[in-house]
Amino acid sequence: MPHTAARFLAEGPRVGIRPFTREDGAEFTARVRESEDLHHPWLFPPATAEAYAAYARRLIEDPAKAGFLVCEKEAGTLAGFVNINNIVHGAFRSGALGYGAFAHAAGRGLMREGLDLVIGYAFGPMRLHRLEINVQPLNTASIALARACGFRLEGFSPDMLFIDGAWRDHERWALTAGMRA
């Protein structure tokens, strides 16, 4: 089903972003299955209806999370997703980004546009001050996207996250609202 601009939280020339819904499960999981080779070994989004239901529920109900679908405006299809996790308000006003493109959209600049929209939304209506991306050092596509959106490399965290059966090193990339001004 095509998604209309009225449903977008923000939009650019080719994509709009909107929150996850429970009804997106069939398209989301089909896109995940099509994108297995692209995502492995970096990312393991939900590929079944049951896994998607639990994933979407957390993004919808947990105030420390916000999930955004990147949608192609012309076709109305899902191009990817961006999640803000570990949202902390108060003096910190920060969140950690996770994202993934779907195979049919990879390399077309759609995620660059979508991530930029999410950043603007996070620093605008969500009133966050800092966003962080943690990336495995060999994930060159993810690092290129972080760089393209203005993130700076801040450090290296050995054995940071348990992914694909092992503790993985990560680079820490960050962006503050002031860096976008």
Side-chain angles (χ1 to χ4, degrees):
M1 162 179 126
H3 306 288
T4 63
R7 294 182 58 191
F8 293 139
L9 298 170
E11 63 181 293
R14 297 180 299 154
V15 303
I17 59 167
R18 64 178 180 80
F20 274 73
T21 70
R22 289 169 174 83
E23 294 75 29
D24 291 309
E27 182 181 0
F28 188 93
T29 56
R31 296 287 183 202
V32 166
R33 289 188 300 273
E34 293 167 3
S35 306
E36 240 176 49
D37 291 341
L38 176 67
H39 293 161
H40 188 81
W42 320 114
L43 186 63
F44 299 89
T48 66
E50 298 77 22
Y52 176 84
Y55 180 75
R57 183 176 53 254
R58 287 189 303 272
L59 290 170
I60 293 166
E61 296 175 5
D62 185 343
K65 298 180 183 302
F68 303 90
L69 293 168
V70 178
C71 305
E72 292 184 74
K73 286 170 44 176
E74 191 172 305
T77 57
L78 301 182
F81 58 96
V82 180
N83 298 331
I84 307 176
N85 299 298
N86 306 324
I87 297 170
V88 179
H89 294 284
F92 199 43
R93 293 192 353 233
S94 181
L97 291 176
Y99 48 78
F102 293 128
H104 75 282
R108 296 174 42 207
L110 301 174
M111 283 303 294
R112 162 73 169 86
E113 188 177 322
L115 181 56
D116 202 48
L117 292 170
V118 170
I119 293 166
Y121 191 80
F123 290 156
M126 291 181 73
R127 302 191 62 226
L128 295 179
H129 169 72
R130 176 185 168 85
L131 295 170
E132 189 169 303
I133 298 171
N134 296 291
V135 183
Q136 292 179 59
L138 297 179
N139 188 345
T140 56
S142 188
I143 290 170
L145 182 56
R147 252 193 202 111
C149 288
F151 285 77
R152 67 177 172 225
L153 179 62
E154 288 194 335
F156 181 79
S157 299
D159 297 337
M160 182 180 184
L161 294 172
F162 194 77
I163 298 173
D164 198 25
W167 289 99
R168 308 290 179 181
D169 299 342
H170 281 70
E171 293 180 357
R172 289 186 324 278
W173 293 78
L175 180 70
T176 63
M179 292 167 63
R180 298 239 323 167

